[in-house]
Amino acid sequence: MDYKRYIAERVCVEGLSAEEIAEAIAVPPDSSMGDFALPCFRFAKVMRKSPVAIAEELSKSYKTDEVIGEVSAVNGYLNFKVNKKGLAEEVLSRILQEGARYGASETGAGKTVCLDYSSVNIAKPFHIGHLSTTVLGGALYRIFQFLGYKAVGINHLGDYGTQFGKLISAYTRWGKRELVEQGGIRALNELYVRFHREAEENPALDDEARAYFKKIEEGDKECLALFEWFKELTLKDVKIIYDLLDIKFDSYAGESFYQDKMKPVVDELREKGLLKESQGAQIVDLEEYGMPPCIILKSDGSSLYATRDMAAAIYRKQTYDFDKCLYVVAYQQNLHFKQFFKVLELMGKDWAKDLVHVAYGMVSLEEGAMSTRKGNVVFLQDVIDQCIEKAYRIIDEKNPELENKREVAKKVGVGAVVFGALYNSKIKDITFSYDKVLNFDGETSVYVQYTCARAASVLSRAEKRSSFAVCLPCEQEFELLKALGDFPETVRSAAEKYEPSYIARYCVDVAQKFNKFYFDCKILQAEEGVWEYRLALTEATLQTLKNALSLLGIGVPEKM
Ligand code: ARG
């Protein structure tokens, strides 16, 4: 239930819309004052009265009902108290009825959102730097789907560039088929590193690599076959991680897919008089917009990352007719996105306003946390494996009798990695620490999962509850109920701000409130007429947490 809206529609201030009033409504830090408060200072000008007088007047005209039970005017604030029993009835019945759909909506029906995320580079390590884009994108994908949108997940593969010429050269010289087949990305990366080492001594290698790349572009059968094989090997490795993290894509159209789609873009730019020559290269001047020029073609006529992104954006608009196209990419690429969005706008693509760079901060690993460091690269697979292993050890120590310890450790370990990446506002740089993400008492997924297992255990020990009558909630129950009721709004704002962290934080908040309720109030030992109601509240909590975690891609073990 959207209380702010509910209240706003019933407070009448001349000249102000319900939206404006809803925006002004706040949640007081101390709930003894009220559950919601409307500061009347900002109306003083319009109404030409003192805030105190306005609050008095509004409190008299406001009609209380089964939702808002009490209104009072205090020092220029209009304070509202929610009808607690009404809230309990509304929240519990809604959650128990809607089940796994609680929090979902149809607001996005008929609309399409494209999401470009993870977007791995072929034959390059899938490292910890790819964690955020992968799990943020995956979460946003599920969140938009949950709100009724058609989501299109796109893995814009980095599969174009001279590095593939280098790789073919290295493989032809030093590669062994079986070894590369077995070693996957790591073997390919080693070849690539060796190429650079040897090319320093022997610059002729670079010419060879360029020649190979040219062959790929010209469609040489052998070179293309190798290139496709490198791609296959990379995707096979990456798929293991996608399966663990429950990440899905609807398209793997990468940079090379746009090879034949760039010429029309360049032609259109030229026709519209946007192209300029600069030192042999073709550019779009963006000085007027305070940006360096966007390079479209190099002096040798080859395309750039931005050219391919422009072709991709146009293709996506034509193919999916998106309402929004999101790019979940690190903030290091801020300028790149600003530039090509601008160029599309200058081309007269009015939909350029629907392109959104969802930028995020860097993830680094706590010093000394990785034993399998190879050079400077920390493979994401190693981080996940390590987290699962550490989770296993903790679980084994805490609860050696637990069945399916391996299964549980997998959910806990994967959850810890995902939640660790999603918990902070996405733009922040974060340092990943195993101890922090696996802390059972911290702001972690394992804390939330453990809370779910606790709720599930209460439910499994209870007698069958047929029906229940809502009681007037005590403070702990009321705080929990209010939080549960906030879920739909939390999902909505997570989508609006592209912030899965809202949902992660929400999970911790609900878990904390449930635990307070669990420790302060008897559930199963409560008197007749109360235990049924508390059991329903427990069930509703578990359902809401499951829904929230599943949007983040985190599973809930039955027992822990
Ligand atoms: N492969 C690129 C990288 O690792 C990310 C691609 C992001 N998507 C895009 N359409 N530019 O930096």
Side-chain angles (χ1 to χ4, degrees), residues 116 119-121 130 156 158 305 309 316 327 329 333 336-337:
D116 177 325
S119 297
V120 292
N121 298 320
H130 296 108
H156 186 74
Y305 183 50
D309 252 327
R316 288 173 194 172
Y327 298 83
V329 183
Q333 296 191 27
H336 164 71
F337 287 101

Side-chain angles (χ1 to χ4, degrees), residues 100 187 207 226 235 284 306 318 339 350 439 447 496 516 540 558:
D207 297 328
L226 277 176
L235 290 179
V284 176
Q318 281 167 354
Q339 284 180 311
D350 57 349
N439 182 351
Y447 170 72
E496 185 187 296
K516 181 132 185 54
E558 289 286 312

Side-chain angles (χ1 to χ4, degrees), residues 45-57:
K45 231 188 184 156
V46 193
M47 295 177 75
R48 299 220 200 103
K49 269 183 213 152
S50 77
V52 174
I54 297 172
E56 288 291 340
E57 185 181 309

